[in-house]
Amino acid sequence: MRKLLLTLVVATLAAVLAVPAPARAAVKVIEDGAEPALPAQMDIVRVRIDNRADRVVLRLTFRDLTETRKAQTKVFIGTDPATDDGFIAYTGHRPGTAPVTQLWQPTDQEFGGTPVECSGIRAKWRFDVDRVRIVVPQACLASPADRYRFKAVAGFYKRKGDWTAFRTVKRG
């Protein structure tokens, strides 16, 4: 009986160890820190990038998001490591209206762009925790690259805000 139980335990353990672990997305963080010279609404403190196989999840933390003030943020997603090709995930907040969230094709080096069709892009503004969460489906990015480059900016129209450093993140 003992030998049978031991054989069963060893066989079960071998079967569990033989199953591959699920693929995990690469998660990287851009620590930008507070910059007191910037308006608090535009000051990006941290960007968490979760580059999953099916979507990119961006969590931007600001110094002080205020629901009664206008704000916008953009994240460049470089989908071709050999060039500057990519997209801009844009979301903007105006008091009293729903946020606007779009995927843009860049038109210049200053994060200008024109909207492109992207079913499933969405954003959530969390003023209670000074955070904006943007989700971009990988299908919208249509890239075979295994790594993307990311850079975030914040501001509102002609008012320049914060610019983070670039960060390369492996795809999950």
Side-chain angles (χ1 to χ4, degrees):
M1 181 72 172
R2 251 187 188 177
K3 193 172 185 180
L4 179 62
L5 183 59
L6 183 59
T7 303
L8 187 59
V9 168
V10 169
T12 303
L13 183 58
V16 168
L17 292 176
V19 174
R24 297 196 54 188
V27 176
K28 300 276 177 136
V29 172
I30 301 172
E31 292 288 354
D32 195 55
E35 296 179 40
L38 292 172
Q41 183 86 345
M42 297 180 190
D43 190 5
I44 300 169
V45 177
R46 183 176 196 260
V47 180
R48 183 177 186 271
I49 304 156
D50 189 352
N51 195 6
R52 302 177 187 178
D54 62 337
R55 64 187 176 267
V56 175
V57 180
L58 307 160
R59 289 182 186 89
L60 294 90
T61 303
F62 290 78
R63 185 161 38 108
D64 185 23
L65 282 180
T66 306
E67 195 167 1
T68 58
R69 308 254 344 229
K70 296 184 284 187
Q72 71 176 0
T73 189
K74 304 171 191 171
V75 179
F76 174 74
I77 304 171
T79 55
D80 183 350
T83 70
D84 286 334
D85 288 347
F87 295 91
I88 297 169
Y90 165 84
T91 186
H93 164 76
R94 283 182 177 268
T97 64
V100 173
T101 304
Q102 300 170 326
L103 190 67
W104 290 359
Q105 184 72 50
T107 55
D108 58 52
Q109 294 295 325
E110 297 296 319
F111 281 71
T114 56
V116 296
E117 184 61 35
C118 177
S119 179
I121 187 170
R122 62 189 187 279
K124 183 168 186 171
W125 289 72
R126 292 277 315 271
F127 297 97
D128 58 329
V129 291
D130 301 317
R131 188 172 302 134
V132 176
R133 182 177 185 262
I134 305 170
V135 178
V136 182
Q138 288 284 0
C140 294
L141 303 174
S143 172
D146 66 340
R147 295 180 180 279
Y148 295 164
R149 287 185 330 137
F150 296 86
K151 181 176 185 170
V153 301
F156 204 83
Y157 295 111
K158 300 211 183 278
R159 292 196 67 190
K160 297 282 190 225
D162 203 0
W163 301 75
T164 70
F166 275 106
R167 187 71 191 247
T168 300
V169 183
K170 184 173 175 51
R171 222 168 125 177

